[in-house]
Amino acid sequence: MRTRFAPSPTGPLHLGHAYSAILAHDMARAAGGEFHLRIEDTDIDRCRPEWEALIFEDMAWLGLSWQHPVLRQSEHLATYNAHLMGLADRGLVYPCSCTRSDIRAAMSAPQEGATAPGVYPGTCRHRAMSDRQSGDALRLNMGAALAQVGALSFTETGAAHAGQHRLDPAQMLQDIGDAVLGRKEIETVSYVLAAVIDDAGQDMTHIIRGEDLYQITFLQVLLQALLDLPTPIYHHHGLIRDEAGKRLAKRDDAKAIRTFRDSGATPADIRRMVGL
């Protein structure tokens, strides 16, 4: 078993991160496997070295150990971009100049076969890669991509979704649509693509993460098939929430691991707080 915890250094780790990291660490150790720490630092505007340093401090304080060297996504942008351009060469990616307001306007107009709320309506789908302009995002042509693969499925072991799940092409067109794979910055790909490439490159056997990422798994399994990469086993766990039932975010400094450390809490206290 090989698992990973993959935080972004854009703020302090909170109790939700602690739960996910400890769970992935303990499951790997119980199976005699490996636990990896990956730094997902492709968001150049928000990532900070001081937040990365704090990740290492918090993880070590929690009593977790991981394999070395640590993978930093910022050091592998050329690899991600090569995979993305490979999909583009197959006619599966197109440039998109739509702003959020453009998308909202297009989705408010009556359309035959309209997609679900929040799903991109395909405004730029007719554009060729040769038409790419500075600032364009790159989107996956979901219909064309699905046409290039056969029946796909993945195994889920998390309690809420345990079982074997097949990808339904009609549902993916309706609920996911033409997802962004390349952000507007040159050679910067989206989380869904970079994570797929890294999980394969690091031979991850089990992906342990919060249930808020469950739906994106269907897109990632499709990308694995398109790139001829293996599909790991997925385990989506419940989320740690605040007193109002809201999922924790990095702005919730009151729940930051550093805050608990400074107040005299112990790693055992953190495990009890998150139900472990």
Side-chain angles (χ1 to χ4, degrees):
M1 177 183 281
R2 293 167 68 96
T3 69
R4 47 78 164 176
F5 176 59
S8 298
T10 57
L13 298 184
H14 53 61
L15 287 178
H17 293 117
Y19 179 72
S20 195
I22 294 171
L23 188 63
H25 174 274
D26 288 2
M27 289 177 69
R29 292 291 183 255
E34 294 181 357
F35 173 69
H36 291 250
L37 174 61
R38 178 190 305 162
I39 302 298
E40 298 193 338
D41 57 348
T42 59
D43 189 339
I44 57 177
D45 292 329
R46 298 174 59 218
C47 291
R48 297 287 184 272
E50 57 268 28
W51 293 127
E52 180 178 325
L54 185 59
I55 288 172
F56 289 109
E57 290 178 18
D58 286 341
M59 297 277 286
W61 179 80
L62 286 169
L64 309 182
S65 59
W66 51 89
Q67 302 298 123
H68 292 276
V70 169
L71 187 150
R72 289 177 178 81
Q73 289 190 332
S74 60
E75 299 172 355
H76 299 272
L77 298 182
T79 297
Y80 308 141
N81 194 60
H83 283 284
L84 179 57
M85 291 302 101
L87 294 175
D89 291 342
R90 293 160 59 184
L92 301 180
V93 172
Y94 62 87
C96 175
S97 59
C98 294
T99 64
R100 292 180 180 178
S101 59
D102 292 335
I103 295 171
R104 284 195 297 268
M107 294 181 66
S108 66
Q111 304 175 62
E112 182 178 353
T115 54
V119 175
Y120 179 68
T123 307
C124 291
R125 194 178 296 143
H126 65 283
R127 293 178 59 194
M129 282 296 294
S130 58
D131 183 41
R132 186 183 185 186
Q133 304 296 316
S134 176
D136 283 351
L138 295 180
R139 290 185 179 273
L140 177 70
N141 186 324
M142 180 63 77
L146 289 167
Q148 291 199 10
V149 300
L152 300 175
S153 64
F154 66 93
T155 300
E156 167 69 34
T157 61
H161 307 283
Q164 194 77 11
H165 298 271
R166 297 190 64 179
L167 274 61
D168 181 338
Q171 201 72 35
M172 293 187 67
L173 286 166
Q174 179 74 18
D175 295 345
I176 300 175
D178 294 355
V180 171
L181 297 186
R183 295 199 290 270
K184 295 183 179 181
E185 301 86 356
I186 299 300
E187 294 191 349
T188 303
V189 303
S190 68
Y191 157 79
V192 290
L193 180 58
V196 159
I197 295 167
D198 287 339
D199 288 338
Q202 294 187 291
D203 297 322
M204 291 296 129
T205 64
H206 294 69
I207 305 304
I208 299 165
R209 60 190 186 186
E211 63 183 2
D212 55 324
L213 295 174
Y214 171 73
Q215 292 298 332
I216 208 67
T217 307
F218 292 84
L219 173 58
Q220 291 187 311
V221 171
L222 172 61
L223 291 173
Q224 288 157 0
L226 292 172
L227 297 173
D228 195 25
L229 302 176
T231 295
I233 294 171
Y234 287 88
H235 181 102
H236 291 87
H237 56 72
L239 303 178
I240 304 299
R241 301 182 181 274
D242 62 17
E243 293 79 2
K246 185 179 179 181
R247 177 177 66 88
L248 296 183
K250 287 182 178 177
R251 61 181 173 272
D252 296 307
D253 283 355
K255 304 295 183 182
I257 297 172
R258 177 180 58 183
T259 302
F260 289 107
R261 287 169 52 192
D262 292 345
S263 67
T266 67
D269 293 331
I270 300 298
R271 285 180 174 264
R272 282 192 291 271
M273 290 177 192
V274 299
L276 293 171

